[in-house]
Structures are given as C-alpha cells and as structure tokens.
Amino acid sequence: MESGASTKWRFEENKDSNYNSNTNTKTAATFTVRALLNTLLDNLNQNDTRRIIPLGHGDPSAFPCFRTTSVAVDAIVDAVRSAYYNSYSPTVGILPARRAIADYLNRHLPYKLSPDDVYLTLGCTQAIEVIVSVLARPGANILLPRPGYPYYEAHAKHSHLEVRHFDLLPEKGWEVDLDAVEALADENTLALVIINPGNPCGNVYSYQHLQKIAETARKLGIMVIADEVYAHLSFGNNPFVPMGVFGSIAPVFTLGSISKRWIVPGWRLGWIVTSDPNGIFQKLGIVDSIKDSLNISSDPATFIQGAVPQILENTKEDFFSKILDILRETADICYDRIKEIPCITCPNKPDGSMFLMVKLNTSLLEDISDDMEFALKLSKEDSVIVLPENKDSNKNTAAAFTVRAVLTTLSANLSKDDTKPVIQLGHGDPSAFPCFELLLLPKTPLSMLSAPPSTIPTHLRAVADYLNLNLPYKLSPDNVFLTLGFRAKRSHPEVRHFDLLPEKGCEVDLDAVQALADENTLALVIINPGNPCGNDYTHQHLQKVG
C-alpha cells in the first residue's frame, strides 16, 4: 500500500505558533530574532557576490576580531578529557559550577549568594522560558520594555501570559518610563523586565535609576527580572551595576550567561539567580516552581558546567579590556557614520552591550513603508543584514512525575549517616558507571573547532547518512533537526494512555489505540528499544503500528 495514498491525516501545523499563510498573520514566534534573521537571509540576492555584512545579531564570535580566551578553551578540553563530566547533571546544575557562579556574582553584591541561589540553564533563552512558565497563570500580566528583546514576548504569549509594554525614553538614555510602569500595573501584574546593559538600545543604567526601579517594584508588589547577559560589557560613562544590589528592596531574578562576556554564545551556558536576601521567592513557592520547571527541561552540557569554575576564576582582566576596547571603537565608528545617513538617526551613542538602536525616517525613502520593508530591501539590494524592531504549581503536575523529580526526591531521602555506597539502579546514565568509557578520538584541528556557522549543515548530513544505513529510502539534511537531547516543552494537549502488553513482550495494544483515537487525535508515541520495559519490537509489530 502506498503510504498516505487514501489516508486523511489528522495532524497539521500549529497555527498558534507559526506564520499563518491563510490569514497572512504572524504570531509571537515569528517575531523572535532568529525568525526575523532567517527571513532576511532567505531574502538575500543569491547572485550577489559581495560579502554579506551581518549587523542583525548579537553573536560576536562570528567576527574574527572576537575570540574567546585560551583559558576558556583549555577549561573545556580539560573537562572533556577528565571523563568526570559525561553524566547527566543534577536538575539545577552541578555544585562546583553553581558555587563558582555565586562567588563570581558576589564580587559586586552587598550580600552573599550561595550555590542554592543559582540554577544553570541552556543559555539565557531557557532562563527566560523557565521564568515565564513559572509566572504564567490565568489573568496574570508581565511588563516588558519597548524596545526590547522579543523572546520575552514570544514565551509569554506561548504561556498565555498577558504582555504590557512600557516605553524606554531615548531622550533620557533609554531609561525606564517609571510613570508608565505604575500606570500599567494592576493587581494581576507579577513582574517587570529590564535589560541592562541594554539589548537593543546599548544603554547602561545608573545606580540611581536602578534604585528607583527597585523602589517602584516594591511599591507595586512585583518582582524585577534583570536580564544581564551583557553584564560588565560597559564602555561609556556609566559603570555596570547589577540589579541584585537592590534585592533587599524588591526580589530580583538575575539572568546571566558566559555567552557574551567570554564570546561563546554557542556554548549555551546561562543561569537564573535568586537575588533575594529576604527569601521572598522561597516563602511564596517560586523556588520550588523553578525546580519543577527544570525537571522537565534539558540542561547545559555537563562538561561545559565542569569548565565553569576554571573559566570564571582564571580569565585575566586584559582579555576583558581588549573586548571593551573593540566595542568602544566600533560604537564610535557606527555612531559617527550614521550621522552621514539622512534617513537614520541615533538618539544615543551606546554605552554598553553590542547593539545600537536607530530611528528610521521612512518619509525620506521611496517605496518603503516600515522598518521591515527597509530591512528586506537592504538585504536584497546590498547584502546588509539589520534587525527591524519587534512591533508588534501545583505539586501534582506532570513536572513532579518526571524521572528527575522522582530521583531527586529519593536522593534527598537517603540517610546521611549510612556509609554504604549508594546503588544507582534508577537512571539511564551509563557514564555514571566506570565500566562504560567514552571513546576519545584524536584531537580535532583548531580550524575545525572555529568553523563558521555556514558549515553546520555538514553535521546534519552526517546524521542523515548515519540513519540511512538502516532505511530503505534516503533522508537528506533537510529532514534532520538537531535538539538539546530530549526536551519536553510545556503545552496543553490532552493525553490518552494505551497499555503495553507484558505477555507479548510489551507490544503496543493496538486494539486499545484504535479505541482511544478520535478525530482530534494527532499522534502515537512509541519508545523502541523500550524505556522502561527493555523491549525491542519486531519488524512485523512495527509494521502493524505503522
């Protein structure tokens, strides 16, 4: 039988999270930085032989003048070759990394963080996702800056958390309009987001302004989410001040990473820190909710976590100084040259981060109505990429029943006085046992380690070729999507369970499957070889499943 010849398939695109071509509308997911950049890259003139000038992203490692320190590279190599970090990490991250991050942040705080205040994430993108999912509840709202980083809005809309925008004031160095914040907030407002140093405005807030933000948050009874991915990348008049300094005024979630200061965004190591010396997050159950959320997420690679103490402790100040000198020089050049372009104005020269925000005067341009059209034409006609502005728990939840959550509970229940070795039979991590060893391949040439992102499709091709060894047809790289292991994302489909039949080698009860399915059923999940049953389905049974 030809597959799909007469079958009406019930699954289709999720119109809540994609571009809907039927109604010509875009949802929050379309307005992420990646989605916009992909649109602009797809719009490039393929016959234009000029070099592409990528001014639309915050990835410094794409440019040869930005390279991470050898200290960081050596730390990664040492962590991998030690074989200590091949296991799954704890839900919140390994202790040495959390302790090192707490110590690193404590250098600039009036109180002391402990490792228990630190939660490691897959860069700051996952940190945003976790915080938003923790806050989401019916009727609640969150206050976001405009201009701002669009991932907050994308994740808020995915979690059905209402978004309210307050303006940043260009005439005041992109300060928060605190009067607008107070006018927007009501009894359902939970949090205020600030990004400092600023993305995309390049601002660095003064101590006095940050204190006013904290006092406003306290007055309103809300938390502050401080996105400090660009922490210490300040090269203007204002030194960087962590929002956590004011954690005793209002509780602060500090989001950070090694991505930008160390020029390694692809290493995907970030953190959530509870900058809350009064323990408000703990008292209100927010800390437990974070742990629940992390129980159903993937972690940063354990060997990256293992390298963190060495990276944070051994990097010399001259490395940071060189980065700041480059950023200061390029900010000056951009700001001065923009003055020569009549249709663009820059209200403030950047003081920090890696961004510069400009205003486009479309009245001076022909056949261009908005910033998106300008960006599209600029990419097509001149191969220049710029980024348009984005306009537009309950303990009995599933999170509590993940393998990690159960293992964490059992581990916490171990007797501290029992000296017998713990016999680990509850997880599927072979690297935790000495009889399983990783094959160490010869050293990879440095030229391969620093290969540009354009070579990444070769990795997709390798996966496709590997899978094609056992398939009667051929996959192409376009069929392959790389993921952070298996990652469960919170969504709201109904779940229906069918039994596996132990008397038949844990085969799928196909009669039960047909009885359970209706016109709203989209998919059937099988795990083969089986976890937790250890089954291995025959060709004949898999054909029946299909």
Side-chain angles (χ1 to χ4, degrees):
M1 174 181 169
E2 183 181 348
S3 176
S6 60
T7 301
K8 180 181 178 181
W9 300 108
R10 295 172 182 165
F11 52 86
E12 60 181 354
E13 67 169 331
N14 180 354
K15 292 185 172 62
D16 289 335
S17 61
N18 290 296
Y19 179 83
N20 183 347
S21 58
N22 294 327
T23 59
N24 198 33
T25 58
K26 298 185 180 90
T27 60
T30 312
F31 285 115
T32 62
V33 172
R34 285 192 174 187
L36 285 171
L37 286 177
N38 288 338
T39 299
L40 295 171
L41 289 170
D42 290 343
N43 195 59
L44 289 169
N45 181 356
Q46 302 303 317
N47 298 318
D48 192 333
T49 58
R50 289 175 295 179
R51 181 170 58 93
I52 298 169
I53 302 176
L55 303 180
H57 61 73
D59 184 352
S61 63
F63 302 94
C65 60
F66 291 107
R67 286 293 179 266
T68 193
T69 171
S70 59
V71 168
V73 175
D74 291 343
I76 293 293
V77 173
D78 291 347
V80 171
R81 292 198 170 273
S82 74
Y84 295 150
Y85 305 107
N86 296 333
S87 304
Y88 293 127
S89 80
T91 296
V92 296
I94 64 174
L95 181 58
R98 291 186 290 122
R99 182 183 293 117
I101 291 168
D103 291 344
Y104 168 71
L105 297 176
N106 283 336
R107 301 173 192 173
H108 304 281
L109 293 175
Y111 54 90
K112 294 300 180 186
L113 298 168
S114 80
D116 292 337
D117 296 310
V118 179
Y119 305 88
L120 300 189
T121 61
L122 287 156
C124 257
T125 302
Q126 189 195 18
I128 294 169
E129 181 180 341
V130 168
I131 293 300
V132 169
S133 68
V134 164
L135 293 178
R137 58 176 172 77
N141 66 76
I142 186 171
L143 307 183
L144 301 182
R146 182 173 53 199
Y149 186 54
Y151 277 94
Y152 286 94
E153 183 159 358
H155 283 302
K157 289 190 174 180
H158 177 81
S159 297
H160 307 290
L161 182 63
E162 180 191 349
V163 168
R164 299 181 181 180
H165 292 103
F166 59 87
D167 288 328
L168 303 182
L169 304 173
E171 68 278 9
K172 293 186 176 182
W174 300 107
E175 286 188 352
V176 174
D177 185 343
L178 292 173
D179 292 334
V181 167
E182 292 199 42
L184 286 168
D186 59 21
E187 67 278 3
N188 293 313
T189 302
L190 305 179
L192 160 73
V193 172
I194 65 164
I195 305 172
N196 181 48
N199 173 358
C201 299
N203 52 282
V204 178
Y205 291 143
S206 68
Y207 182 100
Q208 293 77 10
H209 186 59
L210 291 171
Q211 185 172 5
K212 289 179 182 178
I213 291 172
E215 290 168 349
T216 301
R218 181 181 182 88
K219 178 180 177 181
L220 298 172
I222 63 178
M223 71 177 73
V224 178
I225 299 171
D227 186 323
E228 295 177 355
V229 170
Y230 293 91
H232 302 288
L233 292 180
S234 56
F235 44 82
N237 295 325
N238 289 329
F240 169 71
V241 178
M243 189 69 209
V245 167
F246 308 99
S248 59
I249 298 175
V252 176
F253 272 129
T254 298
L255 312 186
S257 78
I258 64 170
S259 297
K260 305 304 167 67
R261 198 179 188 201
W262 275 267
I263 319 296
V264 288
W267 290 9
R268 311 306 298 152
L269 191 286
W271 54 77
I272 300 169
V273 172
T274 53
S275 303
D276 177 28
N278 298 321
I280 295 169
F281 289 141
Q282 185 73 49
K283 295 172 189 173
L284 297 179
I286 301 296
V287 167
D288 289 337
S289 294
I290 290 175
K291 293 176 181 177
D292 281 348
S293 184
L294 291 173
N295 276 333
I296 60 170
S297 299
S298 295
D299 319 306
T302 311
F303 70 88
I304 303 287
Q305 298 184 42
V308 165
Q310 190 174 328
I311 292 171
L312 297 184
E313 293 164 17
N314 297 342
T315 302
K316 304 300 183 184
E317 193 59 39
D318 60 347
F319 168 74
F320 300 129
S321 299
K322 179 182 177 182
I323 298 299
L324 291 180
D325 288 343
I326 294 172
L327 292 174
R328 184 183 298 109
E329 181 181 358
T330 53
D332 289 343
I333 292 170
C334 287
Y335 183 71
D336 291 339
R337 295 300 297 271
I338 282 170
K339 294 176 182 176
E340 303 172 12
I341 305 174
C343 65
I344 295 176
T345 55
C346 179
N348 291 284
K349 184 163 68 174
D351 284 330
S353 79
M354 298 175 176
F355 298 92
L356 179 146
M357 189 74 178
V358 301
K359 182 177 182 180
L360 178 69
N361 186 348
T362 55
S363 67
L364 299 178
L365 299 169
E366 294 182 4
D367 301 324
I368 292 178
S369 59
D370 58 27
D371 55 351
M372 185 66 189
E373 191 171 1
F374 174 80
L376 286 168
K377 290 191 175 183
L378 191 63
S379 66
K380 193 175 190 69
E381 296 175 13
D382 287 297
S383 295
V384 175
I385 304 291
V386 296
L387 196 65
E389 185 188 353
N390 169 17
K391 295 287 174 65
D392 202 281
S393 171
N394 190 318
K395 284 297 176 189
N396 291 323
T397 60
F401 292 108
T402 62
V403 173
R404 291 195 162 187
V406 173
L407 287 177
T408 300
T409 300
L410 294 174
S411 297
N413 197 52
L414 290 170
S415 171
K416 306 301 182 187
D417 300 322
D418 194 333
T419 58
K420 295 193 298 293
V422 178
I423 301 174
Q424 292 277 15
L425 301 180
H427 62 72
D429 183 355
S431 63
F433 302 94
C435 57
F436 291 102
E437 294 184 359
L438 174 69
L439 171 65
L440 290 178
L441 299 174
K443 288 186 177 180
T444 304
L446 184 60
S447 59
M448 290 295 291
L449 292 175
S450 59
S454 60
T455 65
I456 287 177
T458 60
H459 310 327
L460 303 180
R461 185 177 298 109
V463 175
D465 291 344
Y466 169 69
L467 297 175
N468 284 336
L469 297 174
N470 296 288
L471 291 176
Y473 54 87
K474 295 301 180 186
L475 297 171
S476 80
D478 292 337
N479 298 121
V480 180
F481 303 88
L482 300 186
T483 64
L484 293 156
F486 175 80
R487 183 177 181 183
K489 191 170 184 179
R490 292 189 181 206
S491 52
H492 307 282
E494 179 192 348
V495 171
R496 299 178 180 179
H497 291 99
F498 58 86
D499 288 331
L500 303 183
L501 305 173
E503 68 277 10
K504 293 185 177 181
C506 288
E507 286 187 353
V508 174
D509 185 342
L510 293 172
D511 291 335
V513 167
Q514 296 202 45
L516 286 167
D518 60 22
E519 67 277 4
N520 295 313
T521 302
L522 306 178
L524 161 71
V525 174
I526 65 167
I527 303 173
N528 182 46
N531 175 358
C533 299
N535 52 282
D536 193 355
Y537 292 145
T538 65
H539 184 284
Q540 293 77 11
H541 185 61
L542 290 172
Q543 184 171 2
K544 290 179 181 178
V545 171

